[in-house]
Amino acid sequence: MASQPAHAEPVLVVHGGGVEAVSPARRQRVRQGVIRAASLGHGVLLAGGSAVDAVEAAVAALEDDPEFNAGCGSVLTADGDVEMDASIMDGRDLGAGAVSAVRCIANPIKLARLVMDKTPHCFLTDRGAAKFAADIGVRKIPAGQLVTERNKELLLKEKQQQQGAASPGNLGTVGAVALDLKGNVAYATSTGGLVNKMTGRVGDSPCVGSGGYADNRIGAVSTTGPGEKILKVNLARLALFHVEQGKTVEEAAELALGYMNSRLKGLGGLIMVNRAGDWAAKWTSTSMPWAAVKGGKVHSGTEMGDTTVTDLC
Ligand code: GLY
Ligand code: GLY
């Protein structure tokens, strides 16, 4: 196996979920949100923090931002509740932690990290995850604190308009990938899932290999899109498979997303970094807010062709 680069240029990329369309006013807010989160995570890397610490911090910031479908701002289940899924992975040793169907906590990604660090398991769900959170001292918050007016309206609209499958217009998930100064990679992904989902429905985001993957020998990926399709193609691991086969990160992202589209008519997006620090943000949905920080520059965008590059403040 090739050794890790001794002093890698740190890279932090985030996404704010693939969606059909974003209004111009909201586009501005979500763009600011992803830039803030990416800059925060990159700051952790510059201070010598690990890739895992950086992706956790970036995703927690997006969970705290009500514009995004994760943490506060999560979409509502058919019963009007918030049930969240999240996962995190450390590329050094393939350490993984995930939670699903969790309620009444602000930051599911932090609970996923605790599952990775403090339990012999990879994945806790529902009641068990809630008991673990309580036992380890994670603060419980009132369920209503995670519910926004926008999501109440979205659920009403969804119930009026649609019988059956969830509308692709209401997708969203947040995620981050990072390469730290020591050449380690990590990913974190967090979501409220699909609006109007059945209680107990679990998507791809907490599932290692689908919602994300990180392996120091290859790179790291976080995905967004309809969980029922991402799960069936193991989208994150599929993208890294193409990197293992010698593709660039851009090619690998396009091949993996292309396969999900051709095989299942599934549209989505992903962010990716390889062990050399090459990164990509690609999507087949109409838009995907994203931001990447590397070498003193912040790259960001929401739709095809609207990438901007600014100096890191
Ligand atoms: N909730 C679907 C997505 O990740 O975009
Ligand atoms: N990609 C997130 C979900 O479908 O739940």
Side-chain angles (χ1 to χ4, degrees), residues 11-96:
V11 183
L12 196 300
V13 191
V14 305
H15 70 78
V19 282
E20 280 303 295
V22 190
S23 68
R26 186 152 182 241
R27 193 176 310 152
Q28 197 50 31
R29 294 197 300 273
V30 297
R31 166 110 50 145
Q32 283 162 357
V34 287
I35 289 174
R36 236 187 342 261
S39 305
L40 181 88
H42 188 260
V44 172
L45 297 174
L46 281 184
S50 68
V52 175
D53 287 341
V55 294
E56 180 185 354
V59 165
L62 293 165
E63 288 175 336
D64 291 340
D65 186 333
E67 289 297 332
F68 298 97
N69 174 15
C72 175
S74 288
V75 296
L76 305 182
T77 68
D79 295 332
D81 295 324
V82 165
E83 286 189 356
M84 302 167 290
D85 301 335
S87 63
I88 191 164
M89 193 168 182
D90 186 340
R92 280 178 289 206
D93 58 357
L94 308 189

Side-chain angles (χ1 to χ4, degrees), residues 122-145:
C122 289
F123 199 154
L124 292 177
T125 192
D126 198 355
R127 276 186 312 128
K131 180 176 184 313
F132 170 62
D135 289 349
I136 206 156
V138 172
R139 193 167 72 88
K140 199 172 171 189
I141 58 172
Q145 210 166 302

Side-chain angles (χ1 to χ4, degrees), residues 3-14 38-56 58 89-92 176-188 213-222 240 249 271-280 291-295:
S3 61
Q4 302 300 325
H7 296 287
E9 172 80 58
V11 183
L12 196 300
V13 191
V14 305
S39 305
L40 181 88
H42 188 260
V44 172
L45 297 174
L46 281 184
S50 68
V52 175
D53 287 341
V55 294
E56 180 185 354
M89 193 168 182
D90 186 340
R92 280 178 289 206
V177 296
L179 173 74
D180 67 25
L181 287 162
K182 293 184 176 157
N184 302 307
V185 297
Y187 91 85
Y213 202 80
D215 182 346
N216 271 12
R217 297 186 183 185
I218 325 167
V221 176
S222 170
L240 286 180
V249 285
I271 51 173
M272 188 166 194
V273 64
N274 68 12
R275 58 191 300 281
D278 306 320
W279 60 271
V293 185
K294 181 180 179 183

Side-chain angles (χ1 to χ4, degrees), residues 142-161:
Q145 210 166 302
L146 298 169
V147 177
T148 62
E149 284 308 311
R150 182 164 58 82
N151 282 309
K152 282 190 203 162
E153 284 163 25
L154 196 60
L155 179 62
L156 267 181
K157 204 167 102 194
E158 194 69 16
K159 282 185 185 280
Q160 282 159 2
Q161 281 177 359

Side-chain angles (χ1 to χ4, degrees), residues 17-19 69 170-173 191-194 201 204-205 223-227 230:
V19 282
N69 174 15
N170 301 320
L171 302 181
T173 285
T191 191
L194 295 178
R201 176 267 187 189
D204 60 298
S205 300
T223 67
T224 174
I230 293 176

